[in-house]
Amino acid sequence: MKVLKFGGTSVGSAESINSLLEILKEAYARGEKSIVVLSAMSGVTNLLAQMAEDAEQGINFTPALKALENKHFAVIKQLIKIKHQNPVFTQLKIFLNELEDLLQGIYNLRELSAQSKDLVVSYGERFSTFLVSKIAAQYFPESLFVDASSLIKTDSHFGNAKVDLPQSKQLIQTFFQQHQAHFLFVTGFIASNEQGRITTLGRGGSDYTAAIIGAALKAEAIEIWTDVDGMLTADPRLVKKAFPLPVLSYTEAMELSYFGAKVIYPPTMIPAFMEKVPIVIRNTFNPTFPGTVIQHDSGKANFPIKGISSINAISVINLSGSGMIGKAGFSGRLFSLLAHEQINIILITQSSSEHSITFAVQPADAIKAKKLIETEFELELLAKKIEPPVIEENLSVLAIVGENMKHTPGISGRLFSALGRNGINVRAIAQGSSEYNISVIISQIDLSKALNAIHDAFFTALKKTLHVFTLGTGNIGSTLFKQLVEQQDFLRDHNGIQIKVIGISNSRKMVFDPEGISVASWEEALNQQGETANLEEFIQRMQKLNLPNCIFVDNTASIEPTKHYIPIFESNISIVTCNKIANSSRYATYKHLRDTARNYGVDFLYETNVGAGLPIVRTLKDLMTSGDRILRIEAILSGTISYIFNNFTGDVSFHDVVRKAQALGYTEPDPRDDLRGTDFMRKMLILARDAGNVIEAEEVQLGTILPEACLQASTVDDFYTELQHADSYFNALKEQAQHENKTIRYIGKLENGQVTIGLELVDDQHPFFSLSGSDNIISFTTERYKERPLVVKGPGAGSEVTAGGVFADLVNAGM
Ligand code: ADP
Ligand code: ASP
Ligand code: MG
């Protein structure tokens, strides 16, 4: 025999009742014997409670009563054959009249006790169960409606009564013994006290009813049919990637539900545990899915934790003072005081010095708890042995749960690094001594971000989601989008990474979508849904969205975004950029950026500042962190200059090579912007700084390529004229090179903390001798690479390789 409990959504409409019937019919056809426990139709318990409160306030409750009637009558009309409808209408009408009298009484007296409220809400389960039993009777004539209030006995704590399990067990066994021939439909949630007054088992209590019955009758299983595929790794409304767990232990299910996993009511586990009856959580709307089994054994572990749950709103009360130190009875007095007044304490932490105690309660209990403490400890307060209690609000608690945590080191490390990296401040921590649970109290505004970040950190087999905000849609920006579209499947399958672009802005427009912009059509999104661009607002919106694993990508060459880097780091957002401006400005800025990123535990990645996509910055960093010592760096880091000298051979004049380079789009509109070497200088400056040198731009010795007259020419045309005049100078250089069997190179050098850049003739022994096209090359001579330097060579410009470098940084920032 099984007990099948169907929750509010499973009886919430004619369609869902049909799904429920299908499940019953199939079980019936298999010859399974079941007892069905039902909740009120979804929303009805809340509505009834509201009606009772309205009546107490003198607010007219009749429209709500009418709505309630319509809701149930509509189901009768849809699911019961016309000729059988009348008796059902009649019985429901009787219930409704009783309810109306009751509400009228409350209205007249303007008085609502907990006892009357329980009686009012109890109609929800009675309506639904009676109704469903009559619908079912059309298929199973032995169907019988059972009001469980006579079978489950409790104390008189209305609203959340404590069940007398032995007495209830007896009553249940006797009743079911006598009704073996029937197919029973039993009300969930409701019970009665010694005097026979209706009580309720606490919100969500129908699950508990099912477990009490299942345990009393030693059922084969207690099936909790709801609207999700089982107990999920996290609340699916807050964590989209949550997935169903096949197996949980009773303890794990208890911990998860206690900390907010609403899918099952925590006390449900107790009777099931005592009688070793498995609980199975299943989906009424996906009945072939096996769901979650809750049993003794926690099952095979795929992940170090089972799940994460959370309570959105809690209040914390802090008590501190010297009077608490070493006073054995203090916390005993405190907590029995609160227990006596039925204040539920969600979590307690105490500092080891015993100087302070922090505990969490429901927000509705906070003021009452504070007042109780102030009265109880009046003398201690007067004597200043304790400080007045302080309430903190707008907090949430989240807990990670799993029996395997006990055997796995590093769990709390992973938890706190996920929180730290995302800038989530932890107010208090509690770890149960069983080590099945670690709970942290955080700000309510951080809850969703924290849950998602922790979910990503523990369920690593799933995709980690990076939330990206990009600035700049020029060559590099748009190529990056193209590459993102091409690579997204690969990244998902091979790196477990999902990249969601949440915001895009260029200098004209900006667009946001917290669910992720479709990058394939970024242009339409920007043009059609975009608003007028505003950099400050773009950054503020990014900060406000407070998303986990957040990365800001600056694909501009403008100074404006760089002014915001520090506050971006301070919001725990990483930065990836090809923009050289910040790194090549004053050394103090360079240093401040790194220090801030480090302090906030975020990444600052700028591989494309030097040599586009070539792994130069990363190689240098790896050499440094592995303890190697840089002796010398030599580099050619201007693709344009490379191209020009590589093609300045044979008969061709220098002037013609520059013209050709410009025609091919390899130069800036004024080729002198390349040939002056300033861009090269910036790259060398960044490398020198990354190699540990404190150096400013003006300290770089920048040798020129061009004769003074070329530099002085006022227009680009004049410049070309002057360049023609300088042909003999360049030809002489070329001839000298040919004569000595060398090539002309414009080389940057870092040695002894000094950076020099200038023209050189190199022989065929030099690694820079044979360089082709617009390639960049860099050689690192280090303690380890002394004999044969470490050389990186390849294309150092172009939007494909640069965007590729930004992309690689993006993925690295997410690791
Ligand atoms: P019922 O009406 O069937 O009793 P509830 O609303 O009480 O259903 O519980 C089911 C809901 O619990 C789900 O729809 C889901 O939104 C929520 N929920 C919260 N945390 C979890 C979790 N960890 N796993 C599954 N569901 C959860
Ligand atoms: N109907 C009750 C409630 O909404 C009990 C339940 O659904 O489990 O809390
Ligand atoms: Mg429920």
Side-chain angles (χ1 to χ4, degrees):
M1 192 270 297
K2 286 184 182 171
V3 178
L4 312 183
K5 178 261 170 175
F6 292 88
T9 49
S10 305
V11 292
S13 65
E15 295 78 59
S16 40
I17 294 174
N18 268 331
S19 311
L20 170 164
L21 280 173
E22 285 310 310
I23 293 164
L24 297 186
K25 284 183 204 164
E26 281 188 24
Y28 198 82
R30 284 195 302 271
E32 278 178 23
K33 186 144 179 56
S34 337
I35 293 170
V36 175
V37 174
L38 299 170
S39 288
M41 290 178 81
S42 55
V44 167
T45 309
N46 284 342
L47 184 63
L48 286 165
Q50 187 61 51
M51 285 159 78
E53 280 157 31
D54 284 353
E56 185 196 21
Q57 299 298 318
I59 299 169
N60 183 7
F61 55 83
T62 22
L65 196 65
K66 191 70 202 157
L68 208 60
E69 179 178 306
N70 291 343
K71 191 176 171 93
H72 291 87
F73 281 15
V75 176
I76 300 178
K77 287 178 197 150
Q78 277 175 273
L79 297 184
I80 295 185
K81 293 202 186 73
I82 295 182
K83 61 176 183 222
H84 296 137
Q85 283 179 359
N86 260 343
V88 188
F89 279 130
T90 311
Q91 177 56 47
L92 273 185
K93 203 66 199 163
I94 293 172
F95 280 149
L96 283 160
N97 289 341
E98 284 172 18
L99 174 64
E100 185 174 9
D101 286 350
L102 192 57
L103 289 165
Q104 191 61 49
I106 296 166
Y107 182 93
N108 292 342
L109 294 168
R110 298 285 195 276
E111 186 183 86
L112 175 64
S113 64
Q115 177 179 331
S116 318
K117 195 167 179 182
D118 266 3
L119 185 55
V120 170
V121 295
S122 76
Y123 280 93
E125 267 67 12
R126 293 195 264 174
F127 290 153
S128 67
T129 309
F130 175 73
L131 185 56
V132 174
S133 74
K134 290 300 170 196
I135 297 167
Q138 300 174 106
Y139 310 93
F140 325 111
E142 66 274 38
S143 298
L144 184 71
F145 164 64
V146 181
D147 182 334
S149 56
S150 55
L151 301 179
I152 299 178
K153 297 308 278 185
T154 67
D155 68 5
S156 298
H157 183 209
F158 294 98
N160 200 354
K162 188 168 177 301
V163 176
D164 179 340
L165 284 174
Q167 198 195 344
S168 307
K169 182 175 170 180
Q170 197 102 71
L171 288 167
I172 291 166
Q173 286 174 344
T174 316
F175 182 86
F176 287 91
Q177 198 68 42
Q178 290 161 356
H179 293 85
Q180 289 206 25
H182 286 103
F183 190 174
L184 302 175
F185 290 80
V186 187
T187 54
F189 184 52
I190 64 176
S192 64
N193 70 1
E194 224 181 331
Q195 292 82 38
R197 306 254 191 271
I198 293 279
T199 57
T200 59
L201 306 182
R203 293 307 303 270
S206 295
D207 300 338
Y208 191 23
T209 306
I212 296 166
I213 296 175
L217 302 176
K218 293 208 190 316
E220 193 187 313
I222 298 158
E223 294 188 346
I224 305 292
W225 289 84
T226 181
D227 62 347
V228 277
D229 277 339
M231 175 73 87
L232 310 186
T233 48
D235 186 336
R237 292 164 298 184
L238 297 169
V239 179
K240 293 243 162 60
K241 284 190 241 169
F243 58 92
L245 293 158
V247 179
L248 283 175
S249 71
Y250 293 112
T251 322
E252 289 170 335
M254 178 83 128
E255 297 270 355
L256 282 169
S257 58
Y258 179 77
F259 281 96
K262 182 189 175 222
V263 67
I264 190 158
Y265 184 49
T268 310
M269 266 59 75
I270 299 164
F273 170 86
M274 291 196 310
E275 298 295 339
K276 296 195 171 56
V277 183
I279 301 172
V280 192
I281 305 179
R282 303 194 60 179
N283 191 347
T284 306
F285 309 101
N286 186 15
T288 52
F289 192 79
T292 302
V293 180
I294 303 170
Q295 56 180 35
H296 261 276
D297 179 18
S298 105
K300 182 168 117 302
N302 293 327
F303 297 102
I305 65 167
K306 279 289 173 64
I308 313 160
S309 57
S310 58
I311 305 174
N312 180 39
I314 57 154
S315 291
V316 159
I317 300 182
N318 275 309
L319 260 184
S320 61
S322 58
M324 288 160 54
I325 303 174
K327 278 269 187 307
F330 185 85
S331 42
R333 237 170 101 202
L334 171 66
F335 294 123
S336 40
L337 165 76
L338 299 173
H340 186 257
E341 294 296 324
Q342 310 278 8
I343 292 177
N344 178 35
I345 296 166
I346 299 168
L347 170 156
I348 306 168
T349 65
Q350 182 170 26
S351 63
S352 55
S353 70
E354 296 183 30
H355 182 264
S356 71
I357 290 185
T358 299
F359 61 93
V361 294
Q362 302 284 355
D365 290 336
I367 303 230
K368 185 171 167 202
K370 181 172 189 278
K371 287 204 177 115
L372 285 169
I373 295 167
E374 282 163 352
T375 319
E376 171 75 19
F377 295 99
E378 196 181 359
L379 292 178
E380 285 88 344
L381 280 163
L382 276 174
K384 300 217 178 312
K385 284 192 174 160
I386 61 171
E387 304 292 323
V390 182
I391 303 181
E392 274 185 76
E393 287 167 328
N394 304 324
L395 296 170
S396 297
V397 59
L398 74 80
I400 57 170
V401 170
E403 290 194 8
N404 277 305
M405 284 166 50
K406 202 172 177 160
H407 318 292
T408 322
I411 300 280
S412 54
R414 214 190 283 192
L415 169 67
F416 293 112
S417 90
L419 292 170
R421 258 188 88 85
N422 285 289
I424 298 157
N425 189 32
V426 174
R427 246 317 267 105
I429 304 166
Q431 175 165 26
S433 54
S434 61
E435 289 186 45
Y436 292 165
N437 151 336
I438 303 176
S439 335
V440 293
I441 296 178
I442 58 174
S443 243
Q444 223 169 13
I445 47 166
D446 285 331
L447 180 61
S448 153
K449 173 170 160 178
L451 285 170
N452 284 285
I454 296 170
H455 201 271
D456 271 351
F458 282 100
F459 300 105
T460 43
L462 292 178
K463 291 168 293 203
K464 176 170 184 172
T465 305
L466 310 184
H467 296 102
V468 178
F469 293 79
T470 74
L471 212 58
T473 60
N475 276 340
I476 296 171
S478 58
T479 312
L480 176 67
F481 294 143
K482 194 187 81 190
Q483 294 178 352
L484 280 173
V485 175
E486 288 163 2
Q487 291 301 315
Q488 58 196 14
D489 292 348
F490 182 85
L491 274 177
R492 190 195 48 225
D493 300 341
H494 296 265
N495 298 53
I497 284 181
Q498 174 190 38
I499 297 181
K500 275 193 184 176
V501 178
I502 310 296
I504 299 178
S505 179
N506 56 26
S507 54
R508 298 166 301 279
K509 291 212 148 173
M510 62 181 185
V511 67
F512 299 87
D513 184 348
E515 296 303 320
I517 298 165
S518 159
V519 183
S521 48
W522 68 269
E523 250 177 314
E524 288 90 79
L526 202 58
N527 293 333
Q528 283 158 23
Q529 292 128 48
E531 358 175 347
T532 308
N534 178 327
L535 181 60
E536 277 72 29
E537 206 189 313
F538 186 76
I539 289 164
Q540 273 167 20
R541 295 260 281 270
M542 168 175 79
Q543 290 164 326
K544 246 210 201 99
L545 278 167
N546 203 13
L547 296 165
N549 310 319
C550 188
I551 304 169
F552 176 76
V553 182
D554 175 8
N555 279 331
T556 72
S558 142
I559 189 168
E560 289 310 316
T562 68
K563 296 177 186 162
H564 300 273
Y565 285 3
I566 294 287
I568 290 175
F569 288 141
E570 287 170 349
S571 320
N572 295 86
I573 296 171
S574 294
I575 297 179
V576 166
T577 184
C578 58
N579 185 344
K580 286 189 270 293
I581 294 180
N583 279 331
S584 57
S585 61
R586 308 305 297 168
Y587 180 79
T589 308
Y590 168 92
K591 180 151 188 328
H592 188 30
L593 286 167
R594 270 149 198 78
D595 291 347
T596 314
R598 193 175 321 109
N599 283 342
Y600 285 85
V602 289
D603 286 313
F604 179 33
L605 300 178
Y606 47 87
E607 181 59 76
T608 47
N609 277 192
V610 183
L614 293 177
I616 294 175
V617 172
R618 202 170 313 142
T619 304
L620 175 58
K621 190 169 161 212
D622 288 348
L623 289 170
M624 305 274 299
T625 46
S626 65
D628 203 349
R629 210 164 62 83
I630 310 292
L631 303 175
R632 187 169 62 246
I633 292 176
E634 283 179 287
I636 294 178
L637 295 173
S638 164
T640 315
I641 302 176
S642 243
Y643 173 86
I644 290 171
F645 284 110
N646 282 334
N647 287 278
F648 182 41
T649 51
D651 302 339
V652 54
S653 75
F654 193 75
H655 166 271
D656 291 347
V657 179
V658 176
R659 277 224 188 262
K660 189 168 167 212
Q662 177 157 32
L664 289 172
Y666 288 177
T667 71
E668 296 292 321
D670 185 340
R672 287 175 295 182
D673 289 342
D674 298 293
L675 290 163
R676 263 192 205 101
T678 12
D679 191 56
F680 192 171
M681 181 279 291
R682 289 205 185 102
K683 296 175 187 169
M684 286 304 294
L685 183 66
I686 297 171
L687 282 179
R689 287 172 172 177
D690 279 3
N693 300 290
V694 180
I695 180 169
E696 299 290 357
E698 54 278 14
E699 294 172 72
V700 174
Q701 293 172 23
L702 182 60
T704 57
I705 297 173
L706 298 171
E708 197 54 30
C710 295
L711 292 171
Q712 295 302 332
S714 53
T715 64
V716 175
D717 284 342
D718 291 351
F719 155 69
Y720 274 116
T721 315
E722 287 300 334
L723 198 57
Q724 227 151 11
H725 295 156
D727 266 348
S728 54
Y729 160 75
F730 285 106
N731 281 335
L733 200 62
K734 184 166 70 181
E735 273 154 31
Q736 186 194 347
Q738 272 161 358
H739 182 70
E740 294 178 18
N741 244 337
K742 291 180 174 172
T743 53
I744 314 167
R745 296 285 178 241
Y746 190 57
I747 297 177
K749 266 192 199 145
L750 166 70
E751 204 163 11
N752 301 324
Q754 258 303 313
V755 178
T756 51
I757 302 174
L759 282 178
E760 275 185 48
L761 300 182
V762 300
D763 64 23
D764 61 359
Q765 293 308 301
H766 197 284
F768 294 3
F769 180 81
S770 52
L771 194 67
S772 59
S774 61
D775 276 3
N776 279 196
I777 189 164
I778 182 159
S779 87
F780 297 97
T781 309
T782 71
E783 209 68 72
R784 282 183 207 141
Y785 294 96
K786 210 188 242 158
E787 303 306 323
R788 285 177 44 234
L790 174 63
V791 174
V792 180
K793 179 172 137 180
S799 45
E800 279 291 335
V801 287
T802 309
V806 172
F807 197 166
D809 275 350
L810 198 56
V811 174
N812 280 319
M815 291 294 195

